[in-house]
CSV table of all heavy atoms in Angstrom, one decimal:
chain,number,residue,atom,x,y,z
A,120,GLU,N,89.3,112.2,101.3
A,120,GLU,CA,88.8,112.3,99.8
A,120,GLU,C,87.8,111.2,99.5
A,120,GLU,O,86.8,111.4,98.8
A,120,GLU,CB,89.9,112.2,98.9
A,120,GLU,CG,90.8,113.4,98.7
A,120,GLU,CD,92.0,113.0,97.8
A,120,GLU,OE1,92.9,112.3,98.2
A,120,GLU,OE2,92.0,113.6,96.7
A,121,LEU,N,88.1,110.0,99.9
A,121,LEU,CA,87.3,108.8,99.6
A,121,LEU,C,85.9,109.1,100.2
A,121,LEU,O,84.9,108.9,99.5
A,121,LEU,CB,87.9,107.5,100.2
A,121,LEU,CG,87.1,106.2,100.2
A,121,LEU,CD1,87.1,105.7,98.7
A,121,LEU,CD2,87.7,105.2,101.1
A,122,ARG,N,85.9,109.5,101.4
A,122,ARG,CA,84.5,109.7,102.0
A,122,ARG,C,83.8,110.9,101.4
A,122,ARG,O,82.6,110.9,101.3
A,122,ARG,CB,84.7,109.9,103.5
A,122,ARG,CG,85.1,108.6,104.2
A,122,ARG,CD,84.9,108.8,105.7
A,122,ARG,NE,85.1,107.5,106.3
A,122,ARG,CZ,85.8,107.2,107.5
A,122,ARG,NH1,86.4,108.3,108.1
A,122,ARG,NH2,85.8,106.0,108.0
A,123,SER,N,84.5,111.9,101.0
A,123,SER,CA,83.9,113.1,100.5
A,123,SER,C,83.2,112.7,99.1
A,123,SER,O,82.1,113.3,98.8
A,123,SER,CB,84.8,114.3,100.3
A,123,SER,OG,85.6,114.1,99.2
A,124,HIS,N,83.7,111.7,98.4
A,124,HIS,CA,83.0,111.3,97.2
A,124,HIS,C,81.9,110.3,97.5
A,124,HIS,O,80.8,110.3,96.9
A,124,HIS,CB,84.0,110.6,96.3
A,124,HIS,CG,84.9,111.5,95.5
A,124,HIS,ND1,86.0,112.1,96.0
A,124,HIS,CD2,84.7,112.0,94.3
A,124,HIS,CE1,86.5,112.9,95.1
A,124,HIS,NE2,85.7,112.9,94.0
A,125,THR,N,82.1,109.3,98.5
A,125,THR,CA,81.2,108.2,98.6
A,125,THR,C,80.0,108.5,99.6
A,125,THR,O,78.9,107.9,99.3
A,125,THR,CB,81.9,107.0,99.0
A,125,THR,OG1,82.6,107.2,100.2
A,125,THR,CG2,82.9,106.5,97.9
A,126,LEU,N,80.2,109.4,100.5
A,126,LEU,CA,79.1,109.7,101.4
A,126,LEU,C,77.8,110.3,100.7
A,126,LEU,O,76.7,109.8,100.9
A,126,LEU,CB,79.5,110.5,102.6
A,126,LEU,CG,80.4,109.9,103.6
A,126,LEU,CD1,80.8,110.7,104.8
A,126,LEU,CD2,79.8,108.5,104.2
A,127,PRO,N,78.0,111.2,99.8
A,127,PRO,CA,76.9,111.7,99.1
A,127,PRO,C,76.2,110.6,98.2
A,127,PRO,O,75.0,110.6,98.1
A,127,PRO,CB,77.4,112.8,98.2
A,127,PRO,CG,78.7,113.2,98.8
A,127,PRO,CD,79.2,112.0,99.5
A,128,TRP,N,77.0,109.7,97.7
A,128,TRP,CA,76.3,108.6,96.9
A,128,TRP,C,75.5,107.8,97.8
A,128,TRP,O,74.4,107.4,97.4
A,128,TRP,CB,77.5,107.6,96.4
A,128,TRP,CG,78.4,108.2,95.4
A,128,TRP,CD1,78.3,109.4,94.7
A,128,TRP,CD2,79.6,107.6,94.9
A,128,TRP,NE1,79.3,109.6,93.9
A,128,TRP,CE2,80.2,108.5,94.0
A,128,TRP,CE3,80.3,106.4,95.2
A,128,TRP,CZ2,81.4,108.1,93.4
A,128,TRP,CZ3,81.5,106.1,94.6
A,128,TRP,CH2,82.0,106.9,93.7
A,129,ARG,N,75.9,107.5,99.1
A,129,ARG,CA,75.1,106.7,100.0
A,129,ARG,C,73.8,107.3,100.2
A,129,ARG,O,72.8,106.6,100.3
A,129,ARG,CB,75.9,106.4,101.3
A,129,ARG,CG,77.1,105.5,101.2
A,129,ARG,CD,76.9,104.3,102.2
A,129,ARG,NE,76.7,104.8,103.6
A,129,ARG,CZ,77.6,105.4,104.4
A,129,ARG,NH1,78.8,105.6,103.9
A,129,ARG,NH2,77.3,105.7,105.6
A,130,ALA,N,73.8,108.6,100.3
A,130,ALA,CA,72.5,109.3,100.6
A,130,ALA,C,71.5,109.3,99.4
A,130,ALA,O,70.3,109.1,99.5
A,130,ALA,CB,72.8,110.7,101.0
A,131,ARG,N,72.1,109.3,98.2
A,131,ARG,CA,71.3,109.6,97.0
A,131,ARG,C,71.3,108.5,95.9
A,131,ARG,O,70.4,108.4,95.1
A,131,ARG,CB,71.7,110.9,96.3
A,131,ARG,CG,71.5,112.1,97.1
A,131,ARG,CD,71.6,113.3,96.2
A,131,ARG,NE,73.0,113.4,95.6
A,131,ARG,CZ,73.9,114.1,96.2
A,131,ARG,NH1,73.7,114.8,97.3
A,131,ARG,NH2,75.1,114.2,95.7
A,132,GLU,N,72.3,107.7,95.8
A,132,GLU,CA,72.5,107.0,94.5
A,132,GLU,C,72.4,105.5,94.6
A,132,GLU,O,72.9,104.8,93.7
A,132,GLU,CB,73.8,107.4,93.9
A,132,GLU,CG,73.8,108.9,93.6
A,132,GLU,CD,74.8,109.2,92.6
A,132,GLU,OE1,75.3,108.3,91.8
A,132,GLU,OE2,75.3,110.4,92.6
A,133,GLY,N,71.9,104.9,95.7
A,133,GLY,CA,71.8,103.4,95.7
A,133,GLY,C,73.1,102.7,96.0
A,133,GLY,O,73.9,103.2,96.8
A,134,VAL,N,73.2,101.5,95.5
A,134,VAL,CA,74.2,100.6,96.0
A,134,VAL,C,75.6,100.9,95.5
A,134,VAL,O,75.9,101.2,94.4
A,134,VAL,CB,73.9,99.1,95.5
A,134,VAL,CG1,75.0,98.2,95.8
A,134,VAL,CG2,72.6,98.7,96.1
A,135,THR,N,76.6,100.9,96.5
A,135,THR,CA,78.0,101.0,96.2
A,135,THR,C,78.6,99.6,96.3
A,135,THR,O,78.5,99.0,97.4
A,135,THR,CB,78.7,102.0,97.1
A,135,THR,OG1,78.2,103.3,96.9
A,135,THR,CG2,80.2,102.1,96.8
A,136,ALA,N,79.3,99.2,95.3
A,136,ALA,CA,80.0,97.9,95.3
A,136,ALA,C,81.5,98.2,95.4
A,136,ALA,O,82.0,99.0,94.7
A,136,ALA,CB,79.6,97.0,94.1
A,137,PHE,N,82.2,97.4,96.2
A,137,PHE,CA,83.6,97.6,96.4
A,137,PHE,C,84.4,96.3,96.0
A,137,PHE,O,84.1,95.2,96.3
A,137,PHE,CB,83.8,97.8,98.0
A,137,PHE,CG,85.2,98.0,98.4
A,137,PHE,CD1,86.1,98.7,97.6
A,137,PHE,CD2,85.7,97.4,99.5
A,137,PHE,CE1,87.5,98.9,98.0
A,137,PHE,CE2,86.9,97.6,100.0
A,137,PHE,CZ,87.9,98.3,99.3
A,138,VAL,N,85.5,96.6,95.3
A,138,VAL,CA,86.4,95.6,94.9
A,138,VAL,C,87.8,95.9,95.5
A,138,VAL,O,88.5,96.7,94.9
A,138,VAL,CB,86.5,95.4,93.3
A,138,VAL,CG1,87.5,94.3,93.0
A,138,VAL,CG2,85.1,95.2,92.8
A,139,PRO,N,88.2,95.3,96.6
A,139,PRO,CA,89.6,95.5,97.1
A,139,PRO,C,90.6,94.6,96.3
A,139,PRO,O,90.4,93.5,96.0
A,139,PRO,CB,89.5,95.0,98.5
A,139,PRO,CG,88.3,94.1,98.6
A,139,PRO,CD,87.4,94.3,97.5
A,140,THR,N,91.7,95.3,96.0
A,140,THR,CA,92.8,94.5,95.2
A,140,THR,C,94.1,95.1,95.7
A,140,THR,O,94.2,96.1,96.4
A,140,THR,CB,92.8,94.8,93.7
A,140,THR,OG1,93.4,96.0,93.4
A,140,THR,CG2,91.4,94.8,93.1
A,141,MET,N,95.2,94.3,95.3
A,141,MET,CA,96.5,94.8,95.6
A,141,MET,C,97.1,95.3,94.2
A,141,MET,O,98.4,95.4,94.1
A,141,MET,CB,97.4,93.7,96.2
A,141,MET,CG,96.8,93.3,97.6
A,141,MET,SD,98.0,92.6,98.7
A,141,MET,CE,98.5,91.1,97.8
A,142,GLY,N,96.4,95.5,93.2
A,142,GLY,CA,96.8,96.0,91.9
A,142,GLY,C,97.4,94.9,91.1
A,142,GLY,O,97.1,93.7,91.3
A,143,ASN,N,98.2,95.4,90.1
A,143,ASN,CA,98.7,94.4,89.0
A,143,ASN,C,97.5,93.6,88.5
A,143,ASN,O,97.5,92.4,88.4
A,143,ASN,CB,99.8,93.5,89.6
A,143,ASN,CG,100.5,92.7,88.5
A,143,ASN,OD1,100.7,91.5,88.5
A,143,ASN,ND2,101.0,93.4,87.5
A,144,LEU,N,96.5,94.4,88.0
A,144,LEU,CA,95.2,93.9,87.7
A,144,LEU,C,95.4,92.9,86.5
A,144,LEU,O,96.1,93.2,85.5
A,144,LEU,CB,94.2,94.9,87.4
A,144,LEU,CG,94.1,95.9,88.5
A,144,LEU,CD1,93.0,97.0,88.1
A,144,LEU,CD2,93.6,95.3,89.8
A,145,HIS,N,94.6,91.8,86.5
A,145,HIS,CA,94.5,90.9,85.4
A,145,HIS,C,93.0,90.6,85.2
A,145,HIS,O,92.2,91.0,85.9
A,145,HIS,CB,95.4,89.6,85.8
A,145,HIS,CG,95.1,89.0,87.0
A,145,HIS,ND1,93.8,88.4,87.3
A,145,HIS,CD2,95.8,88.9,88.2
A,145,HIS,CE1,93.8,87.9,88.5
A,145,HIS,NE2,95.0,88.2,89.1
A,146,PRO,N,92.7,89.7,84.2
A,146,PRO,CA,91.3,89.4,83.8
A,146,PRO,C,90.5,88.9,85.1
A,146,PRO,O,89.2,89.1,85.1
A,146,PRO,CB,91.3,88.4,82.7
A,146,PRO,CG,92.6,88.8,82.0
A,146,PRO,CD,93.7,89.1,83.1
Side-chain angles (χ1 to χ4, degrees):
E120 282 176 291
L121 176 71
R122 287 194 171 138
S123 76
H124 281 83
T125 55
L126 287 181
W128 296 347
R129 284 236 308 288
R131 289 197 299 269
E132 297 200 24
V134 172
T135 296
F137 176 43
V138 181
T140 81
M141 300 205 299
N143 191 231
L144 303 180
H145 53 65

